[in-house]
Amino acid sequence: MERYNFKVIEKKWQTFWEKNQTFKASIKKDKKKFYCLEMFPYPSGKIHMGHVRNYTIGDVLARYKSMQGFNVLHPMGWDSFGMPAENAARQNNLDPKTWTEENIKTMKSQLKQLGLSVDWNREISTCSEDYYKHQQSFFLDLLDKGLVYRKENYVNWDPVDETVLANEQVIDGKGWRSGAVVERKKLNQWFFSITKFSSDLLDSLEKLSKWPNKVKVMQKNWIGKSFGCEVNFDIKSSLPVKTIKCFTTRPDTLFGFSFLALSIDHPLSDFFKKDVEFIKFKNECGKTGTTEASIANAEKIGFKTNIKAINPLDVTKEVPVYFANFVLMDYGFGAVFGCPAHDQRDLDFALKYKLKVLPVVCPPNEGDNFKITKEAYTGPGKIFNSQFLNGLNCPDESILKTIEILEQKKIGKQKINFRLKDWGVSRQRYWGCPIPIAYNNRGEVVKIPKKDLPVKLPENIKLEVKGNPLEHQKNWKEVIINGEKCIRETDTLDTFVDSSWYFLRFCSTENTNVGFDLDDVKYWMPVDQYIGGVEHAILHLLYSRFFTRALGFNEKNFINLEPFEGLFTQGMVCHETYKDSKDNWLSPDEVESKDGKIYYKKNDTSESVKVGSSESMSKSKKNTIDPENIINNYGADAVRFFILSDSPPEKDIQWSEQGMISSYKFVQKFWSLHKIIISLELKNDINQSEDIDIFTNQMIDKITKNLENFHYNVIIANLHEIYNFLSKNLKKIDSKKNLLSNYEKILKIISPVMPHLTNECLNELNAKDRNEWPKVNKKFLKKVNFDVVIQVNGKKRDLMNFNKDINEQDLLFEIKNNQKLSKFLKDKEIKKSIYIKNKLINLII
RNA sequence: GCCCUCGUGGUGAAAUUGGUAGACACAAAGGACUUAAAAUCCUUGCCGCUUGCGGAGUGCCAGUUCGAGUCUGGCCGAGGGCACCA
């Protein structure tokens, strides 16, 4: 039997698709569009299994939708700005552009080997001028709309490398490369006003019915809406300041007020700039690590001032004002009123500094002598110890009532606060989109005129300088705008900006004049199905949602502001981890399995290997499998088949060599079966049995439903069932004509998963309309006979086959004659029977 | 600490609105073919008597129901997100 030569056949079809421009997308107004998008890759060098999984899932969907008659847009591009290029270039002494372009070349050819139905005419790369010139133009538009501004903000500063570090580059408070203790430094930076859209970004989540709930919850928490009020506290001090403003969600606990705490960056701190003790305290605060754990476990410390704050609801009461390390400047007003009895954090602080703890909410089962010791009470109850607030139900009634009183007295105002902060987009890096701004000698911001865009990144730069390489480009920095000498902004844009609108660019790649054409975008947008990793659940997706809103802000004629109609987040690809006796990681290539044990291959077999848990593939743990090797050994169809099998696409999948081999065998088995089917000689041309029609139509029905619901692992099981059915029942089939017409439909429903194999088979069948999804013939879904489950007292006792319209009386008659059931029913009266038509009957005795 | 999700064989997992639990595969054991191996095919899968049949069984404990993997309440365990957010 001829073996299936995937190398030849896969290449053949990939060439065919390319020549025929099979996947080229263009606007067809009479057809329903379907925009299928997977998150575009960062060109890091080679594709990894995560890419294979992501793009296979998307490709199956794109091919299926196309067969269903949708006009499909399925593009691909490169998220090609970013730090890894700068680091790699520095290491290998070449420039980021060359490094990036080489990687793109490699990865593109690898992706093509997977047989993706991508329209490569629309390929984009965010590091190309053709792309980022539009981004610079958008930046200026947003600046004109008042959605971009500049302010001072803290950054992680590495004093040795003289560079700004991203949070993930700070490890235990030290720079990842230099090991120097990271400092907080204030820099002027550009910000996008994402908080202007806080409410809308939050409320619109409800409309995203095709998004995973998990992602919506994460975004909701990230935006972090809280309802409360702002309160003005009068203060007594020698300073020229009369009041301090606080935000609180619990104004009803104001009578438990025992201190007021300020952030060390609060404007009032200016008056303490020369206070030695305060400087000491501030340094102490700076020492707290930046890791999440260290922040959470950090001790609460304060610096007591001689300022007193007056309780606005009882002006006879004064409390001390502190600076405290746990108060954040960028939330609320950088000042909190402390009520230790009903807030754990405030209680910790109060206990340390021996401040008064007065409970004002009495829990349901407690009396007036209720006391707080070590745990704050945050539950419901009745207000007490609070003069005119006493007796109010907490929290519903008491909070609203207190806000009302504060508003009447003009000392407070209802307020909704968001946790979301404005998006800082300045990066002190070379390999990013230049910000189209310069500064004149008066320090004023000057916009680069649009006609002068793009502001190109200078080439042939020296990377091995300290700090941002652009700072050292004298020729590039100096620019004359409107006859005035200016210095360019040397910061570049966060790469999340690049990915916040690339889905719009894909709609109009042929138009070089504008970032996107409104007509194109109106046809293709929104993305019907977006597919990618859950690690982008918050930032990338939120920024993209913001960016479409920002672009549409104050525009009369724009698209729907939600860019992604449907979202699917796929799981990771995992593999077992291995270590040798010295705890060095070993790659799967370096080990082999013998008699159920795993050994280090290169050594004699006496050295066994420590097998660790299965974890997401990563270079650091060496548990990666190179997709290119796998494609070369088994072919793209087998890889696609395997990566979809076993686990549902939203869950993590275990890579298994065994599973991969079995997928490869499936391709081979199927090819052999195909050869048998097409060479089968059947005399009858009249159909005797409808078994194959019934089976085929059931499968079309099942696979269609499974495709619609992303149950791709079940589809693989369905494909196994198809093979099993055909190979077992071939002998029983009498009509070749009928066999082939069913077989053709079967090949079509397999084709999204294994496009090369099925196209070759369909070709040998001379099938017409290869790109048409078969319709279910409902006639064959209607069963005439049913297996009815016979239960006695809810327990299954037998299966009996009946005609579909049998009535309950006849059914009971048959049951009584059933020998097998007689032992359960003998001498017993059937008190009741529940009959679910064509399914089940439950007899109660 | 708060929020979310999930617990089904040795493993990955299936299972319309509550209606045959374990589809489909991986691994294992036994068998067939073979001089042998590989490949292929078949059988088995928890407990009891052992053709067959009966019992238990979807993390644990209750509840609703003729009937619960599925619904409700409580508990235990795992994973993920946020993290001094006032």
Side-chain angles (χ1 to χ4, degrees), chain A residues 543-559:
Chain A
Y543 291 156
S544 299
R545 296 180 63 222
F546 156 72
F547 212 78
T548 48
R549 282 168 170 76
L551 290 171
F553 187 66
N554 283 344
E555 305 282 343
K556 277 185 205 134
N557 188 16
F558 201 70
I559 54 161

Side-chain angles (χ1 to χ4, degrees), chain A residues 186-385:
Chain A
K186 253 186 178 177
L187 284 183
N188 257 314
Q189 299 188 269
W190 288 98
F191 283 82
F192 283 177
S193 307
I194 188 170
T195 54
K196 278 200 178 159
F197 301 93
S198 299
S199 274
D200 186 32
L201 286 167
L202 181 69
D203 297 343
S204 302
L205 284 172
E206 275 175 39
K207 292 180 227 154
L208 297 172
S209 60
K210 292 177 186 170
W211 277 41
N213 203 44
K214 178 175 65 170
V215 175
K216 288 193 277 189
V217 169
M218 279 160 75
Q219 291 213 356
K220 192 180 161 196
N221 293 338
W222 189 261
I223 295 167
K225 180 178 179 173
S226 36
F227 175 86
C229 71
E230 55 180 68
V231 184
N232 288 311
F233 291 84
D234 287 339
I235 57 170
K236 273 190 192 167
S237 77
S238 53
L239 305 174
V241 176
K242 292 268 149 42
T243 63
I244 295 174
K245 201 178 260 189
C246 295
F247 172 75
T248 177
T249 56
R250 294 299 304 276
D252 56 337
T253 62
L254 259 172
F255 282 97
F257 178 42
S258 67
F259 67 94
L260 199 147
L262 303 171
S263 162
I264 50 169
D265 300 315
H266 192 275
L268 271 180
S269 69
D270 283 350
F271 298 109
F272 295 84
K273 265 196 279 198
K274 286 172 190 158
D275 185 323
V276 184
E277 288 301 311
F278 180 72
I279 293 165
K280 245 167 126 182
F281 171 74
K282 210 172 159 176
N283 287 339
E284 196 66 25
C285 293
K287 277 185 192 161
T288 313
T290 47
T291 60
E292 287 175 357
S294 64
I295 290 170
N297 301 326
E299 202 190 352
K300 285 158 189 59
I301 49 173
F303 173 83
K304 193 174 177 182
T305 66
N306 50 13
I307 308 169
K308 299 278 178 208
I310 296 160
N311 190 328
L313 293 183
D314 182 354
V315 292
T316 64
K317 301 238 166 71
E318 289 177 10
V319 301
V321 174
Y322 284 80
F323 285 100
N325 64 340
F326 62 86
V327 184
L328 306 169
M329 189 56 226
D330 49 10
Y331 185 81
F333 301 100
V336 297
F337 95 78
C339 175
H342 304 292
D343 183 298
Q344 192 58 45
R345 193 194 37 201
D346 293 349
L347 182 62
D348 294 344
F349 190 81
L351 291 175
K352 179 166 168 130
Y353 293 102
K354 303 201 167 56
L355 300 165
K356 202 176 164 192
V357 181
L358 175 71
V360 291
V361 180
C362 187
N365 300 319
E366 296 281 349
D368 282 353
N369 55 355
F370 174 61
K371 290 260 175 345
I372 296 287
T373 50
K374 278 182 178 163
E375 252 178 65
Y377 180 73
T378 53
K382 276 215 157 53
I383 301 290
F384 73 135
N385 293 335

Side-chain angles (χ1 to χ4, degrees), chain A residues 530-793:
Chain A
Y530 196 34
I531 305 165
V534 73
E535 65 273 19
H536 292 115
I538 299 173
L539 295 184
H540 163 58
L541 292 168
L542 195 62
Y543 291 156
S544 299
R545 296 180 63 222
F546 156 72
F547 212 78
T548 48
R549 282 168 170 76
L551 290 171
F553 187 66
N554 283 344
E555 305 282 343
K556 277 185 205 134
N557 188 16
F558 201 70
I559 54 161
N560 172 3
L561 298 175
E562 284 300 339
F564 311 121
E565 169 98 9
L567 175 71
F568 189 87
T569 53
Q570 99 267 5
M572 293 181 295
V573 185
C574 300
H575 197 286
E576 273 181 339
T577 47
Y578 309 107
K579 277 182 175 177
D580 69 9
S581 54
K582 286 169 196 154
D583 270 1
N584 297 312
W585 296 107
L586 295 173
S587 80
D589 294 339
E590 292 172 298
V591 303
E592 65 185 341
S593 144
K594 256 186 201 168
D595 311 321
K597 280 193 177 172
I598 296 191
Y599 295 97
Y600 191 4
K601 229 193 233 171
K602 298 205 173 94
N603 240 314
D604 56 58
T605 49
S606 59
E607 186 177 343
S608 65
V609 164
K610 282 183 249 174
V611 180
S613 60
S614 180
E615 290 178 57
S616 141
M617 286 188 181
S618 79
K619 280 180 194 161
S620 61
K621 287 172 191 146
K622 289 181 86 175
N623 62 339
T624 56
I625 299 287
D626 181 6
E628 192 165 9
N629 286 342
I630 299 289
I631 296 171
N632 285 334
N633 290 341
Y634 304 108
D637 282 340
V639 176
R640 294 165 64 110
F641 187 92
F642 174 68
I643 205 81
L644 297 175
S645 68
D646 286 346
S647 295
E650 69 275 14
K651 283 178 72 175
D652 288 354
I653 187 173
Q654 299 285 350
W655 182 267
S656 126
E657 187 71 17
Q658 289 302 330
M660 185 59 244
I661 291 169
S662 122
S663 299
Y664 172 73
K665 283 180 187 163
F666 183 86
V667 174
Q668 292 295 344
K669 278 194 315 195
F670 196 92
W671 179 251
S672 310
L673 183 71
H674 164 78
K675 285 293 179 191
I676 293 170
I677 288 174
I678 55 170
S679 61
L680 211 58
E681 283 181 37
L682 297 171
K683 283 165 200 153
N684 277 344
D685 218 32
I686 299 156
N687 205 20
Q688 303 280 324
S689 153
E690 289 186 338
D691 285 358
I692 186 166
D693 303 278
I694 292 168
F695 178 81
T696 305
N697 283 285
Q698 275 176 352
M699 270 302 157
I700 298 170
D701 190 47
K702 275 189 194 175
I703 290 183
T704 307
K705 282 176 184 155
N706 286 331
L707 277 163
E708 292 291 344
N709 296 308
F710 283 103
H711 294 164
Y712 290 0
N713 57 323
V714 187
I715 292 175
I716 300 303
N718 294 150
L719 300 195
H720 280 290
E721 283 178 69
I722 287 173
Y723 174 83
N724 293 345
F725 176 88
L726 288 177
S727 64
K728 271 183 197 133
N729 292 284
L730 225 42
K731 285 175 204 145
K732 296 183 205 157
I733 294 166
D734 32 34
S735 156
K736 178 137 187 181
K737 200 175 149 196
N738 192 45
L739 168 65
L740 291 187
S741 90
N742 279 294
Y743 178 55
E744 186 180 318
K745 288 178 190 161
I746 282 170
L747 286 172
K748 284 176 183 169
I749 56 174
I750 302 177
S751 70
V753 175
M754 300 199 287
H756 309 89
L757 174 69
T758 48
N759 267 287
E760 185 66 15
C761 294
L762 284 164
N763 211 35
E764 293 197 350
L765 271 188
N766 289 319
K768 284 171 195 153
D769 305 321
R770 276 203 299 257
N771 197 39
E772 199 174 69
W773 194 251
K775 286 199 175 65
V776 176
N777 185 342
K778 289 206 173 130
K779 184 178 107 185
F780 294 112
L781 292 188
K782 283 179 192 148
K783 283 165 73 177
V784 182
N785 294 307
F786 284 88
D787 282 334
V788 175
V789 178
I790 318 296
Q791 289 186 342
V792 179
N793 285 343

